[in-house]
Amino acid sequence: MNFRQLDLNLLRVLAAIHATRSVTAAGRRLALSQSATSNALARLRGFFGDQLFVRSPGGLEPTRRCEELAPAVVQHLRQLEALVTGESRFDLATTDMHWKLSLSDLGEMLFLPRLAAALRAEAPRARLSNISVAAADVAAALETREIDCAVGILQPRHRGVRAEPLFREQYVALASPQWRPPAGRPGRALTQAQLADAALVVASPTATFHTGVEQMLTRARLAHRIVLRARHFGALPELARATDLVAIVPEMYARDLGERYQLRTWRLADAPHYDVRLVWHASTERDPAHQWMRALLHRLFGRAVAVSPPSPPRPSSPPPGRRGEP
């Protein structure tokens, strides 16, 4: 038996006869004449060396060999049809899908707990991995399917890469409750002059989408006030709590920390806003599993991004950077 000699169209006839128990009914289902269907059955019998179906009072009954073949043939034909038509079946309760995301270290801290809880509740057999990919390599990783999607301060311009905003974010200052600005009156926001007298700490992860904090401080001529650079955001809350250092972090992270560490958040005067985007490849646009994951990320973390009228450009303030946290 040589599989290459089998006309795969004959398998559709096998499945139809198995379902209808009739050559005539199978022909109608496949839009074939009775003679064409009978000829196809004869070719199937010759290829497999088995009658496949025998006559009985109730119609055609499958042989043991046919019962071995037919269920698998039907299953694979359905899978092939779903693949070709783009209507692949996706069942949350049974899927063992392995999603591969790329989040920064801060994104992992902020997003993974809620994402994991949702997956365990809604898709308990699914798996999830966070893959470390540098911002410059995200588009290539998406194209090669190393990752399925990425979340961060990303604005890819590569062909075939899709992006949409999840929420708008800005940087804030985080300090111990006892800390006060060295100069000027304390208010809800710290001015550039007050930051110029403060000792700052920032996180500088190695493989991440994060460069926005230092870019912002450089534009504000405050980079020289950075006295400590940590490798991970996880060190910042204890540094702010136990010292006079002021941590510059995304607002979402500050809100999360403020509730757990009793830290004080200060807004930054004239701090730029930036969009945190969900990025994926066009090849997964219509895949039901990927559609569900993107919808879940929007449901858990998406916030409406208001479109503000453009502000008049200021010579001393270049456009904000395109990468950062989370």
Side-chain angles (χ1 to χ4, degrees), residues 52 105 173 279 314:
L52 297 177
D105 71 322
V279 182
R314 295 185 295 177

Side-chain angles (χ1 to χ4, degrees), residues 126-198:
R127 294 173 292 156
L128 178 68
S129 295
N130 182 25
I131 309 297
S132 178
V133 177
D137 301 328
V138 166
L142 289 169
E143 185 173 0
T144 59
R145 300 298 292 273
E146 179 185 352
I147 59 174
D148 299 315
C149 58
V151 177
I153 305 174
L154 300 163
Q155 194 170 10
R157 302 185 184 280
H158 294 74
R159 187 174 183 178
V161 176
R162 304 284 188 262
E164 58 190 14
L166 279 177
F167 56 88
R168 183 156 290 177
E169 183 66 291
Q170 64 179 346
Y171 293 106
V172 298
L174 198 67
S176 72
Q178 293 76 34
W179 185 88
R180 293 294 182 273
R185 298 177 60 184
R188 292 186 176 181
L190 297 178
T191 66
Q192 186 169 330
Q194 288 172 324
L195 283 175
D197 290 327

Side-chain angles (χ1 to χ4, degrees), residues 55-68:
R55 295 189 179 279
S56 73
L60 295 178
E61 288 295 326
T63 64
R64 180 176 299 180
R65 177 63 171 144
C66 184
E67 287 291 21
E68 293 175 351

Side-chain angles (χ1 to χ4, degrees), residues 98-109 111-112 115 128-142 145-154 166 207-210 276-280 290 293 297 301 324-326:
H98 182 190
W99 282 285
K100 293 166 287 186
L101 276 62
S102 184
L103 307 171
S104 66
D105 71 322
L106 180 56
E108 184 172 272
M109 295 167 64
F111 300 149
L112 271 192
L115 189 54
L128 178 68
S129 295
N130 182 25
I131 309 297
S132 178
V133 177
D137 301 328
V138 166
L142 289 169
R145 300 298 292 273
E146 179 185 352
I147 59 174
D148 299 315
C149 58
V151 177
I153 305 174
L154 300 163
L166 279 177
T208 180
F209 309 148
H210 170 79
V276 175
R277 292 182 174 86
L278 170 61
V279 182
W280 70 96
H290 292 274
M293 174 54 68
L297 289 167
F301 310 112
E325 291 296 341

Side-chain angles (χ1 to χ4, degrees), residues 20 34 45 48 54 66 80 85 98 113-114 141 159 162 199 214 217 219 238 241 263 266 286 306 321:
T20 62
Q34 183 172 356
R45 286 169 167 165
F48 287 107
V54 295
C66 184
L80 182 59
T85 61
H98 182 190
R114 291 177 61 189
R159 187 174 183 178
R162 304 284 188 262
E214 295 209 32
L217 295 175
R219 289 195 301 272
E238 189 62 27
R241 189 193 68 80
L263 297 170
W266 304 75
R286 297 184 179 276

